[in-house]
Amino acid sequence: MTTVTADPAPAPAPPGRSARPSWLRRSWEKHWYAWAMVLPVVIVLAVLIFYPLFRGIWLSFTNLTEANQVAEICTRSITGGEVCKDNPNKWEFVGLDNYLRVLTGEVGEFWQWTGTTLIWTFVCVACHFGLGLGLATMLNRPMRARGLYRVLLVLPWAVPAFVSAFAWKFIFNERFGLANAALSAVGIDPVSWFADRWTSLFTAIVTNIWLGVPFMMVALLGGMQTIPSELYEAAEIDGASAWQRFRSITLPGLRPVSMTVILLGTIWTFNMFPIIFLVTEGQPAGQSEILVTGAYRAAFEGIRNYSLSATYGVLILSILLVFSVFYRQALRKQGEVW
Amino acid sequence: MGPKRPGRNRRSPVKSLLLHGTLILASLIAIGPIAWVLLSSLKPGYAIQSSELTLFRDTTLANYSYVLTSTNFPRWFLNSVIVAAFTMAIGIFFSATTGYAVSRFNFPGRRPLMMVFLVTQMFPVAILIVPIYTIMARLGLINTMPALIIAYLTIAVPFCAWMLKGYFDSIPTSLDEAAALDGCGPFATFWKVVLPLARPAVAVTAFYTFLTAWGEVAYASAFIQTDNRFTLAYGLQQFVPQFNPQWEYLTAAAVLVTLPAGVVFFFAQRHLVSGLTAGGTKG
């Protein structure tokens, strides 16, 4: 793959020995090294991500399930030998059937899940970013106990997601949860959080916001610290108010970081499996499912339906790809090279 | 708002109160759920499930001793430590080499690789499980720890390589050139000169890879089949039967699970801000 730039002419000299290697030779060495350095990752990704992807795309056009995956049905005869014959219900190519069944709502609730996913993603990312930005702005000032605040505020990041899910499920427990106790304390009737679609979704969103703010905060705080302080000093001398400084120095300075973390945050939240799966469990009656959890349940509860899960996978990936392309184009239009 | 004089170091008492008040409130929200679980883990089961809430009631360590002695918890803990440690070590190495290659060398396929890293983040784990399971089965890795380590690496490495690439970008290439003049090959330059300078980003990578492996449930539940190979995240699900969760053991186990993550966090937290910075700015 790198031989295109290889120079066949020079005699093989021990690397690093020749006093001044030619440009071609140096670039060949560079490419060789670069490829060697990325190769393990490329191989693992190719085997474990891209092979499954292409296989998934193919499977989404078949009707493969756990039940019809074997090509031959073998029965053991009395003599100990095995008699095999073709499985009459063997899986086969079915064209766009899976997509039609999913998109028309024959299986699962694609459109409802998509709607919930969009709400979920938008609310979570907006809150992550807003709260993260607010906290980072506060933490970026010199003050007492700043280091302590920072450690405490980043702490939720260190908690494994399933523990956070459990902690919040515990808090939103209908009978002995902290949330209902707090509500009763101020004279509001206890809420059965998981009995209604919106309160159920609310608990998951709260959990996810709690979980996701630290990452945004840390990334934005890092971004703020790369903004030269001379800019702020100059603005203060010019009499700019705190709000003006924030709007005209901090926000533009954070643009590159913000664009990256918003894109990553959107992708991560869109595919955030454990929170919905463990906190709401889709209650009530699957109404709080997002696409990934809904697809998981539709495809894997009962007989595992591999082709259906592949279909959902392709649809989810397509949505995210379309989103990223538009996002990138929007950035390009504003002159951002990304 | 808007004091006209430079007053960033001296702010009015009201503003100071607001600032600290907000931060204290935010900190309380941040640690509240964990603290509540911690407090609950010290109560006996009946006190946890009572609707009357108290901070302390009949304080006991019985939940902990049950989890530590009457379940397979120590074994799961050890498994998790092994899986997380290998994921961390291998993950740091491959993220760093890849990040360095992408940062320093303009090789054919560099930009596509960066795009691929982003695209891998878009694949829903729940959907990948089955095909990966098939591959692992073909490689004979089902019910082994390497299966988990490899799977976790596919989750963590793309992001970490991306982040490290950003950090390496911020280290002047003149250092590489100086090292090359001293006779270092590209790998020696990377290993002896650039990597030590990237310590903050390496710390974040360590934190991220560790957490990925430590808290993952889906792959663990798909690939591991026997009780003595479970990792913590999956083993704990056994305390959550469909209808009667054993909250008291769950709380104690949750605390025990969070502790090691907390230790790793403690060592990494100083570097979090600076380490993540460059990675974010130079997508």
Side-chain angles (χ1 to χ4, degrees):
Chain A
M1 36 195 104
T2 53
T3 48
V4 184
T5 52
D7 185 1
R17 231 3 121 63
S18 50
R20 199 164 275 276
S22 73
W23 181 85
L24 276 174
R25 186 178 170 79
R26 220 169 66 202
S27 90
W28 183 85
E29 270 180 9
K30 274 188 177 176
H31 288 334
W32 187 86
Y33 259 97
W35 276 104
M37 284 174 110
V38 299
L39 196 62
V41 173
V42 170
I43 290 175
V44 171
L45 289 183
V47 173
L48 287 181
I49 304 274
F50 285 91
Y51 169 72
L53 171 70
F54 289 114
R55 194 177 147 76
I57 294 176
W58 156 242
L59 285 183
S60 70
F61 295 111
T62 69
N63 63 355
L64 179 75
T65 66
E66 199 172 25
N68 63 11
Q69 56 182 334
V70 264
E72 292 180 323
I73 298 175
C74 294
T75 39
R76 203 170 281 270
S77 65
I78 315 165
T79 52
E82 276 191 347
V83 187
C84 292
K85 52 182 178 188
D86 283 347
N87 181 354
N89 299 318
K90 187 181 172 312
W91 59 282
E92 57 191 4
F93 182 81
V94 295
L96 288 169
D97 270 16
N98 285 317
Y99 291 96
L100 286 176
R101 284 181 353 156
V102 166
L103 294 176
T104 55
E106 194 187 320
V107 210
E109 299 285 344
F110 181 80
W111 297 107
Q112 187 194 318
W113 294 339
T114 307
T116 314
T117 310
L118 293 181
I119 297 169
W120 152 264
T121 309
F122 181 78
V123 174
C124 285
V125 175
C127 291
H128 284 158
F129 188 76
L131 292 171
L133 184 63
L135 290 171
T137 313
M138 286 191 254
L139 282 181
N140 198 31
R141 302 169 188 203
M143 66 173 138
R144 225 170 285 163
R146 182 167 127 177
L148 179 67
Y149 286 135
R150 207 179 66 194
V151 172
L152 292 180
L153 288 172
V154 184
L155 208 58
W157 193 5
V159 180
F162 74 98
V163 173
S164 321
F166 158 73
W168 282 95
K169 199 172 170 54
F170 187 57
I171 285 171
F172 282 113
N173 189 291
E174 204 183 319
R175 282 188 302 122
F176 49 87
L178 207 53
N180 274 345
L183 287 183
S184 327
V186 293
I188 301 173
D189 284 339
V191 179
S192 35
W193 297 99
F194 301 109
D196 175 81
R197 179 181 172 194
W198 297 110
T199 53
S200 184
L201 200 58
F202 173 80
T203 62
I205 287 177
V206 168
T207 309
N208 196 46
I209 291 173
W210 181 81
L211 201 73
V213 165
F215 172 77
M216 285 283 187
M217 187 188 81
V218 166
L220 293 172
L221 189 56
M224 284 176 190
Q225 293 180 351
T226 61
I227 301 174
S229 59
E230 295 85 48
L231 289 179
Y232 289 102
E233 283 154 21
E236 274 179 72
I237 290 166
D238 288 347
S241 71
W243 173 244
Q244 284 172 328
R245 291 197 302 265
F246 179 76
R247 276 208 48 191
S248 351
I249 302 175
T250 313
L251 282 186
L254 283 180
R255 259 188 74 93
V257 192
S258 310
M259 291 307 133
T260 312
V261 292
I262 288 178
L263 178 65
L264 269 181
T266 306
I267 294 172
W268 284 343
T269 312
F270 197 95
N271 281 339
M272 190 58 153
F273 183 75
I275 301 304
I276 295 278
F277 193 74
L278 297 174
V279 175
T280 77
E281 302 172 47
Q283 290 166 339
Q287 286 183 37
S288 65
E289 302 276 22
I290 58 172
L291 266 176
V292 279
T293 60
Y296 185 79
R297 273 189 237 269
F300 292 137
E301 274 181 0
I303 293 174
R304 294 177 166 223
N305 192 333
Y306 302 142
S307 52
L308 189 63
S309 89
T311 310
Y312 278 112
V314 172
L315 287 170
I316 291 171
L317 183 64
S318 318
I319 296 175
L320 285 173
L321 277 177
V322 168
F323 167 77
S324 327
V325 168
F326 276 108
Y327 189 84
R328 253 191 101 178
Q329 267 177 358
L331 291 191
R332 278 248 177 91
K333 256 179 213 155
Q334 296 172 21
E336 201 84 34
V337 185
W338 171 76
Chain B
M1 277 198 144
K4 287 271 152 77
R5 67 196 159 78
R8 297 215 301 151
N9 291 320
R10 261 182 296 153
R11 60 177 73 84
S12 69
V14 180
K15 269 185 147 183
S16 194
L17 195 71
L18 262 177
L19 180 66
H20 283 275
T22 317
L23 285 172
I24 289 171
L25 181 72
S27 304
L28 283 179
I29 294 174
I31 56 169
I34 311 165
W36 181 243
V37 170
L38 177 66
L39 288 174
S40 300
S41 70
L42 299 170
K43 298 176 196 164
Y46 61 86
I48 287 180
Q49 308 228 10
S50 94
S51 52
E52 186 190 333
L53 297 181
T54 45
L55 287 184
F56 295 99
R57 187 158 144 202
D58 305 332
T59 301
T60 165
L61 287 173
N63 298 331
Y64 288 94
S65 69
Y66 175 87
V67 169
L68 287 174
T69 57
S70 309
T71 68
N72 231 343
F73 188 93
R75 176 79 219 191
W76 301 336
F77 194 91
L78 183 69
N79 293 342
S80 277
V81 169
I82 295 171
V83 170
F86 274 97
T87 308
M88 192 162 102
I90 303 172
I92 292 174
F93 183 77
F94 284 140
S95 310
T97 53
T98 310
Y100 183 76
V102 174
S103 161
R104 287 299 196 266
F105 306 127
N106 195 7
F107 58 92
R110 176 173 163 272
R111 282 196 70 78
L113 191 64
M114 292 296 286
M115 292 311 295
V116 162
F117 287 160
L118 183 70
V119 174
T120 57
Q121 304 289 308
M122 298 179 191
F123 291 11
V125 168
I127 309 300
L128 282 179
I129 284 185
V130 173
I132 296 187
Y133 181 94
T134 321
I135 295 166
M136 293 293 178
R138 218 168 284 167
L139 296 172
L141 290 175
I142 290 302
N143 204 23
T144 66
M145 287 181 197
L148 288 184
I149 296 170
I150 295 170
Y152 296 158
L153 286 173
T154 65
I155 305 177
V157 166
F159 172 72
C160 292
W162 217 29
M163 184 177 64
L164 280 163
K165 183 249 173 201
Y167 201 90
F168 291 142
D169 281 349
S170 71
I171 297 174
T173 48
S174 55
L175 288 172
D176 299 46
E177 284 150 20
L181 283 180
D182 287 348
C184 284
F187 191 81
T189 307
F190 155 72
W191 190 251
K192 292 188 189 148
V193 180
V194 179
L195 197 59
L197 288 173
R199 263 181 60 186
V202 172
V204 183
T205 306
F207 177 62
Y208 189 86
T209 45
F210 179 89
L211 267 187
T212 303
W214 193 252
E216 205 277 339
V217 185
Y219 284 138
S221 60
F223 299 160
I224 302 297
Q225 291 151 347
T226 52
D227 190 77
N228 62 352
R229 298 265 175 90
F230 285 169
T231 56
L232 275 180
Y234 181 50
L236 286 186
Q237 307 300 317
Q238 307 207 319
F239 292 136
V240 204
Q242 198 71 49
F243 297 108
N244 184 23
Q246 295 158 297
W247 292 102
E248 62 274 29
Y249 304 138
L250 268 173
T251 51
V255 172
L256 289 172
V257 173
T258 310
L259 278 179
V263 171
V264 175
F265 167 72
F266 179 79
F267 286 112
Q269 58 90 9
R270 276 187 306 129
H271 299 299
L272 279 183
V273 173
S274 54
L276 205 61
T277 306
T281 48
K282 311 252 175 60

